[in-house]
């Protein structure tokens, strides 16, 4: 029982109960197309510097709960990458790119509508998404490609960006 508890503490975040990046990586099927979306809380650092780290913990938990509550509706599993970054892993991706973008726009709108109450203040978190389609044999670069999409989106002022071509997108980042 002690060993099981230790393993659980290593692979699951205590405050959000979400699995970490290692669990995500081991879940990705290398022989099947799927999708990874990195969701980043854009105003996380600013909120932490103004209100302190107590708020940053609350923000992480708030975002985790909202993402977890949408898992069944959108067909993904949530993992915690960093306190301000989450990965959504779509196990069965039957969607065309346009439909995936539409779904992520809807999810992003839902996330932006949520108000986190902290010390009698309503605080809205700002999010950005980077999407990577994982082809056969691309398991090792899945998170990096989603991160590249996130950076390109930030640079271009887009809340959602998709990684398309390994060579072209990498040069832009």
């Amino acid at each position: 029982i002690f060993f099981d508890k230790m393993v659980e503490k290593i692979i699951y975040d205590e405050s959000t109960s979400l699995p970490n990046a290692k669990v995500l990586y081991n879940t990705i099927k290398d022989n099947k197309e799927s999708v990874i979306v990195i969701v980043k809380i854009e105003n996380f650092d600013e909120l932490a510097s103004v209100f302190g780290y107590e708020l940053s913990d609350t923000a992480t938990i708030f975002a985790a709960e909202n993402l977890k509550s949408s898992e069944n509706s959108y067909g993904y599993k949530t993992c915690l990458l960093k306190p301000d970054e989450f990965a959504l892993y779509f196990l069965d991706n039957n969607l065309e790119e346009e439909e995936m973008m539409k779904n992520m726009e809807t999810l992003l709108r839902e996330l932006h509508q949520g108000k986190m109450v902290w010390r009698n203040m309503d605080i809205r978190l700002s999010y950005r998404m980077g999407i990577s389609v994982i082809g056969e044999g691309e398991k090792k670069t899945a998170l990096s490609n989603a991160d590249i999409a996130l950076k390109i989106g930030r640079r271009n002022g887009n809340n959602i960006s998709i990684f398309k071509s390994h060579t072209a997108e990498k040069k832009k980042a």
Side-chain angles (χ1 to χ4, degrees), residues 12-147:
Y12 287 93
D13 177 67
E14 194 173 328
S15 61
T16 63
S17 300
L18 292 176
N20 64 26
K22 287 183 189 208
V23 174
L24 169 68
Y25 184 76
N26 289 326
T27 304
I28 296 172
K29 308 278 187 251
D30 206 23
N31 60 349
K32 186 176 180 186
E33 187 174 284
S34 52
V35 172
I36 292 271
V37 177
I38 292 180
V39 179
K40 180 167 181 64
I41 304 171
E42 283 293 297
N43 57 344
F44 187 86
D45 291 338
E46 293 83 10
L47 291 171
S49 66
V50 171
F51 296 107
Y53 287 102
E54 185 182 310
L55 177 114
S56 59
D57 290 342
T58 303
T60 300
I61 293 167
F62 178 79
E65 288 172 350
N66 284 322
L67 289 167
K68 285 279 293 171
S69 71
S70 295
E71 285 182 338
N72 291 334
S73 300
Y74 292 95
Y76 63 79
K77 289 293 179 195
T78 310
C79 293
L80 181 68
L81 301 178
K82 301 182 208 173
D84 64 338
E85 281 188 7
F86 302 85
L88 311 181
Y89 177 54
F90 291 81
L91 306 165
D92 295 312
N93 179 39
N94 303 347
L95 302 177
E96 295 295 321
E97 182 181 323
E98 189 176 314
E99 192 175 354
M100 171 61 74
M101 289 294 282
K102 194 183 238 183
N103 282 352
M104 292 303 92
E105 287 168 1
T106 302
L107 177 60
L108 191 62
R109 235 183 343 271
E110 290 170 2
L111 291 171
H112 280 141
Q113 288 172 355
K115 286 188 273 187
M116 179 178 71
V117 178
W118 191 76
R119 294 189 180 168
N120 297 321
M121 292 182 280
D122 289 342
I123 298 173
R124 290 191 189 270
L125 301 180
S126 175
Y127 300 89
R128 186 177 309 275
M129 295 179 171
I131 303 171
S132 173
V133 177
I134 307 164
E136 196 169 319
E138 295 178 339
K139 176 179 179 174
K140 291 181 182 175
T141 60
L143 280 172
S144 297
N145 293 349
D147 193 49

